[in-house]
């Protein structure tokens, strides 16, 4: 047990600690993260991963990665691969404990035969519509299936023939015999098995019957030796069925199901179904589009995994629904990037500058630190020459009050470079500013001279010594804090942010010619970015991870 655990206590850790004190299950702790391989993992899953693997770490027990692959119609190999990649990226390791519910299909099937033998399950010929009709409504008991009283022999025979493929899809089901009058609908003779001829990503066409989620999940937990089966609150009503399956089958040391609140983050969707829809309708470029709240999307956007772990840690584990402000996520991202990202200069919307008093052929290399405090990160060399570019928005023809950057007759300092003064503005025929003629102050480049202070410091790049850079400024995919919240008949996609991506062609300082894909950087004054494609890997492309401050509130106000 690590010291960390003692400090952080939540209701789940308390339950586990009590269990251990009471010697329950020999003090053993075993958890699992059980995704259904029908999509990519999202930020909500990160919470479940951190919780389950965190419990394993803190209580020194294994945490399994188990694919709940019981619905071949929606499950795909690509999701199985992406989920493993994402769990690892988030920083967790299941070691040898990788399992699939399908590993247990035979045992799960044998469990079903046992339920039949015990008189606790029967084969039902009702269609799903008929079944729904007989299920009843809240407050009114349902009606027993006409097939409920079949003999054990007949049930066994029919169930075996279901397995053997004698019946059409949907024609028969195996149902638990519990209580059609139960106020809990999950106990009104729920379906345990259905016939489905979809090939399975792992078992191929071996099976034509598949166990339902609730039944398969309970059995997989028990077979595997899970001690604490942690799941989200919507499964609270399923717990009686979970317990019924394991009690009826006589599992000795039963896992305990514990529910916690899902993680929801404002402006982000955590519904796999909707995320899938965004991918399929090409609203985004794929599951790993940097605007997606998927782990693959965060990774491509340059979000460090520790920022997500930090968020999950801060949010903690609760029993009540929790919606977290996206600002907290952004804060975690900035905090983790601040210490690790090198600072560089990139001009996104270049405006040409000519230093008229700089000799045309002179090129000087200025050495500048890559991080303001972490000297161990080293330095890089920046080219300084007669032709430069600055950010278009750092110049104003008629400067507003408190605009301390460049304007006719005004001075600014170039970051790590000289102080320059704007002497002349060049315009095109349309009257637009296309370039500035400036002079630099030689003393401001001479470290032996006392340096004057000017109010503005701006970033810049030497025009002929920079690297062309495609800048992809990603913003929130949705413009509404609760994107899924729409009036009846409305589509949540009306909440999409029409400006979630801006693509610019900028100029990066020479240093970026040699930075590899995946490296996270701060573009001074602009934001944190990650290299999507390196300069020598086909041309420099960068993705914005997050702005430096919360520019969102300001931008909305401007619109
Ligand atoms: P589906 O509707 O496809 O079942 P799901 O989000 O429940 O979607 P699973 O693959 O079943 O997806 O989830 C794996 C695990 O992650 C489950 O234990 C589930 O409870 C947990 N989980 C899913 N969404 C969240 C969330 N928003 N917050 C915390 N845990 C979550
Ligand atoms: Mg689920």
């Amino acid at each position: 047990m690590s010291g960390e655990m003692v400090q952080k206590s939540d209701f789940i850790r308390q339950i586990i600690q009590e269990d251990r004190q009471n010697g329950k299950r020999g003090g053993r702790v075993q958890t699992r993260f059980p995704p259904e391989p029908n999509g990519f993992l999202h930020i909500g899953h990160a919470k479940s991963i951190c919780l389950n693997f965190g419990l394993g770490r803190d209580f020194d027990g294994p945490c399994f990665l188990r694919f709940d692959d019981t619905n071949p119609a929606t499950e795909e190999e690509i999701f199985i691969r992406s989920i493993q990649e994402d769990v690892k990226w988030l920083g967790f390791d299941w070691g040898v404990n990788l399992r699939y519910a399908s590993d247990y299909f035979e045992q799960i099937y044998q469990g079903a035969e046992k339920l039949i033998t015990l008189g606790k399950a029967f084969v039902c010929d009702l269609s799903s519509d008929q079944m729904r009709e007989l299920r009843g409504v809240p407050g009114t008991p349902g009606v027993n299936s006409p097939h409920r009283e079949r003999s054990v022999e007949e049930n066994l025979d029919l169930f075996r023939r279901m397995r053997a493929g004698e019946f059409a899809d949907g024609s028969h089901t195996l149902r638990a015999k519990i209580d059609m009058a139960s106020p809990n609908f999950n106990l009104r003779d729920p379906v345990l098995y259905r016939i489905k001829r979809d090939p399975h990503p792992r078992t191929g066409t071996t099976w034509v019957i598949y166990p339902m989620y609730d039944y398969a999940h309970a059995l997989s937990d028990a077979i595997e030796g899970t001690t604490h089966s942690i799941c989200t609150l919507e499964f609270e009503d399923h717990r009686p069925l979970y317990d019924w399956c394991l009690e009826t089958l006589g599992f000795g040391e039963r896992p305990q199901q514990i529910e916690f609140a899902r993680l929801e983050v404002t402006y982000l969707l955590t519904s796999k179904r909707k995320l899938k829809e965004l991918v399929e309708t090409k609203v985004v470029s794929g599951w790993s589009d940097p605007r997606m709240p998927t782990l693959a999307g965060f990774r491509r956007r340059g979000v460090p995994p520790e920022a997500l772990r930090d968020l999950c840690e801060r949010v903690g584990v609760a029993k009540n629904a929790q919606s977290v402000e996206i600002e907290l996520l952004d804060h975690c991202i900035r905090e983790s990037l601040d210490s690790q990202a090198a600072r560089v200069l990139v001009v996104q919307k270049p405006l040409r500058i000519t230093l008229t008093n700089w000799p045309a052929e002179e090129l000087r290399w200025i050495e500048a630190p890559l991080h303001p405090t972490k000297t161990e990160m080293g330095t890089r060399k920046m080219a300084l020459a007669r032709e430069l570019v600055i950010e278009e928005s750092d110049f104003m023809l008629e400067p507003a009050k408190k605009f301390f950057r460049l304007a006719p007759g005004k001075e600014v300092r170039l970051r790590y470079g000289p102080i320059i003064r704007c002497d002349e503005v060049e315009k095109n025929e349309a009257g637009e500013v296309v370039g500035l003629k400036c002079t630099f102050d030689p003393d401001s480049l001479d470290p032996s001279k006392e340096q004057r202070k000017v109010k503005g410091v701006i970033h810049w790049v030497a025009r002929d010594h920079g690297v062309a850079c495609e800048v992809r400024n990603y913003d929130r995919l949705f413009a509404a804090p609760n994107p899924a919240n729409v009036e009846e008949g409305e589509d949540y996609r009306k909440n999409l942010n029409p400006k979630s991506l801006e693509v610019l062609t900028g100029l990066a300082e020479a240093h970026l010619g040699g930075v590899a894909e995946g490296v996270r950087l701060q573009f001074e004054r602009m934001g944190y970015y990650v290299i999507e494609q390196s300069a020598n890997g086909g041309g420099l492309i960068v993705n914005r991870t997050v702005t430096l401050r919360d520019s969102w509130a300001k931008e909305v106000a401007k619109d």
Side-chain angles (χ1 to χ4, degrees), residues 532-545:
E532 161 88 12
Q533 181 178 284
S534 70
N536 42 33
L540 188 61
I541 302 176
V542 297
N543 296 337
R544 182 166 73 193
T545 310

Side-chain angles (χ1 to χ4, degrees), residues 243-481:
D243 290 338
W244 181 91
C245 291
L246 301 184
E247 258 170 57
T248 311
L249 284 171
F251 279 94
E253 209 175 63
R254 289 198 295 276
Q256 177 183 358
Q257 176 177 314
I258 308 171
E259 306 88 15
F260 73 101
R262 297 172 70 87
L263 172 67
E264 310 279 0
V265 182
T266 57
Y267 294 95
L268 301 184
L269 277 181
T270 47
S271 150
K272 248 195 260 178
R273 192 180 56 77
K274 292 199 176 83
L275 295 180
K276 201 184 184 91
E277 219 162 66
L278 295 176
V279 172
E280 280 167 0
T281 58
K282 300 200 160 43
V283 169
V284 291
S285 63
W287 285 98
S288 61
D289 186 297
R291 291 164 295 183
M292 288 284 270
T294 52
L295 301 192
F298 285 124
R299 177 165 65 235
R300 237 181 100 193
R301 218 180 83 199
V303 172
E306 56 270 25
L308 297 181
R309 294 200 301 266
D310 183 24
L311 177 79
C312 293
E313 189 81 24
R314 287 173 195 243
V315 169
V317 185
K319 194 79 191 169
N320 302 320
Q322 35 185 188
S323 180
V324 172
E325 309 273 329
I326 196 166
E327 286 78 7
L328 180 61
L329 169 62
D330 288 346
H331 173 79
C332 292
I333 297 171
R334 289 187 190 109
E335 197 169 87
S336 113
L337 288 174
D338 178 48
S339 59
Q340 59 170 281
R343 271 56 167 174
V344 291
L345 306 189
V346 177
V347 173
Q348 304 199 354
K349 291 184 183 166
L351 172 64
R352 229 182 58 221
I353 300 259
T354 307
L355 299 182
T356 51
N357 58 340
W358 186 282
E361 61 290 349
E362 192 183 330
L363 172 63
R364 197 183 299 183
W365 291 93
I366 299 173
E367 190 164 356
L370 279 166
H371 195 278
T373 56
K374 299 199 140 186
T375 47
E376 69 272 20
M377 286 177 70
T379 61
R380 89 288 196 179
K381 290 209 163 75
M382 299 168 62
L384 179 57
R386 181 182 166 94
E387 299 290 337
L388 310 176
V389 292
I390 62 166
E391 205 68 64
E392 219 178 66
S393 58
D394 281 334
F395 172 78
M396 274 183 103
L397 204 49
E398 289 158 33
K401 245 193 190 168
K402 298 206 171 154
F403 183 82
F404 299 121
R405 290 164 275 162
L406 211 51
K410 298 277 195 244
E411 285 184 323
V412 279
R413 184 180 279 278
L414 300 181
R415 180 76 159 144
Y416 300 120
I419 293 173
I420 62 168
R421 189 186 61 227
C422 172
D423 303 319
E424 207 180 315
V425 178
E426 297 173 280
K427 293 184 186 169
N428 62 12
E429 279 163 14
E432 296 155 345
V433 178
V434 292
L436 305 175
K437 288 206 158 65
C438 301
T439 41
F440 80 100
D441 169 6
D443 285 353
S444 68
L445 262 187
D446 183 347
S448 67
K449 297 264 163 59
E450 195 182 330
Q451 291 299 309
R452 332 188 252 120
K453 284 250 183 310
V454 290
K455 272 210 166 130
V457 181
I458 62 175
H459 60 281
W460 57 281
V461 172
R463 198 163 66 119
D464 301 322
H465 306 275
V467 185
C469 178
E470 179 175 321
V471 180
R472 297 183 180 166
N473 285 327
Y474 288 104
D475 206 334
R476 290 177 191 165
L477 185 55
F478 287 95

Side-chain angles (χ1 to χ4, degrees), residues 33-36 38 42 44-45 47-48 232 260 262-263 270 272:
F33 172 63
E36 219 175 311
N38 59 357
H42 55 61
H45 295 117
K47 168 91 221 197
S48 177
T232 37
F260 73 101
R262 297 172 70 87
L263 172 67
T270 47
K272 248 195 260 178

